[in-house]
């Protein structure tokens, strides 16, 4: 009888690599209010990150408010990112009327206020369910799926996930 070997494959061997869907939201809600209402409607727990997402454009750094949550059960990262970013005002500048510079991740013609990304492959049925729940969040005017057209835009939308604090790990 010949010797034979058995190879076992893990679930990870069949995992589909790549980022999950982007949802774009139009709303007049503040970032904290939107995160709270999304948490309530979707049964998630988005929280403000310690540092906002920085993007450098034309030598200026713009900070975009960022919320995240890691779903331990499904092993998915949820990231809510403000489309509009502000460049902090230099405290040494002595101008009475100095306003921060503003910039958007997506073109202003898109009329997008926030971008939600779930960093995991989702089936179309799951995408439809999430879009339906988001559209029922009070104060959300429009929700649609978004597909970044360029790699540069994908890179701009990529947010480094913060490690959870000790309180969040329990």
């Amino acid at each position: 009888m010949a010797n034979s070997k058995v190879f076992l494959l893990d679930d990870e061997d069949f995992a589909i690599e790549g980022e999950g869907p982007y949802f774009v939201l139009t709303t007049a809600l503040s970032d904290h209010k939107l995160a709270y209402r999304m948490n309530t409607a979707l049964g998630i727990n988005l929280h403000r990150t310690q540092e906002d997402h920085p993007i450098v454009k034309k030598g200026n750094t713009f900070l975009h408010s960022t919320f995240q949550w890691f779903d331990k059960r499904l092993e998915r990262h949820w990231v809510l990112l403000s489309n509009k970013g502000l460049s902090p005002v230099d405290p040494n500048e002595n101008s009475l009327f100095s306003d921060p510079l503003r910039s958007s991740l997506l073109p202003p013609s898109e009329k997008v206020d926030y971008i939600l990304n779930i960093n995991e492959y989702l089936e179309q049925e799951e995408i439809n369910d999430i879009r339906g729940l988001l559209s029922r969040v009070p104060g959300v005017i429009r929700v649609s799926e978004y597909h970044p057209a360029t790699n540069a835009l994908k890179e701009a939308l990529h947010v480094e996930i913060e490690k959870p604090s000790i309180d969040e790990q329990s």
Side-chain angles (χ1 to χ4, degrees):
M1 182 179 229
N3 289 339
S4 61
K5 292 183 180 181
V6 175
F7 295 95
L8 300 175
L9 298 175
D10 293 327
D11 289 344
E12 294 158 358
D13 295 326
F14 297 100
I16 297 173
E17 297 296 324
E19 293 188 5
Y22 292 93
F23 297 94
V24 291
L25 296 93
T26 303
T27 180
L29 297 173
S30 67
D31 52 12
H32 284 90
K33 190 174 280 192
L34 176 63
Y36 174 80
R37 289 184 180 181
M38 286 174 59
N39 287 343
T40 303
L42 280 80
I44 60 178
N45 192 18
L46 290 168
H47 62 278
R48 183 78 183 250
T49 57
Q50 291 179 7
E51 294 187 22
D52 290 334
H53 181 57
I55 294 292
V56 178
K57 286 186 179 178
K58 298 180 182 177
N60 293 307
T61 300
F62 296 93
L63 301 176
H64 299 263
S65 63
T66 309
F67 292 75
Q68 71 177 14
W69 176 61
F70 179 69
D71 181 351
K72 292 178 188 174
R73 187 175 62 82
L74 297 175
E75 296 185 2
R76 292 180 179 160
H77 281 103
W78 294 61
V79 178
L80 178 65
L81 186 64
S82 173
N83 184 39
K84 297 173 179 93
L86 299 176
S87 182
V89 175
D90 184 358
N92 296 325
E93 193 174 304
N94 291 329
S95 175
L96 180 61
F97 301 105
S98 59
D99 284 332
L101 299 174
R102 299 172 191 278
S103 179
S104 297
L105 290 168
L106 302 179
S109 61
E110 298 280 342
K111 292 187 171 74
V112 170
D113 297 302
Y114 296 93
I115 303 153
L116 174 68
N117 178 235
I118 303 166
N119 292 353
E120 183 68 35
Y121 173 80
L122 299 178
E123 296 291 335
Q124 190 60 48
E125 184 177 334
E126 291 176 291
I127 292 170
N128 294 341
D129 290 346
I130 292 169
R131 186 175 43 240
L133 289 169
L134 288 169
S135 67
R136 289 191 285 279
V137 170
V140 171
I141 299 166
R142 181 178 66 105
V143 177
S144 58
E145 198 174 340
Y146 182 76
H147 302 281
T150 65
N151 286 337
L153 189 51
K154 279 186 183 180
E155 188 66 31
L157 294 174
H158 178 75
V159 175
E160 291 295 323
I161 304 298
E162 286 185 358
K163 291 185 178 181
S165 66
I166 294 192
D167 295 338
E168 295 169 24
Q169 291 178 358
S170 53

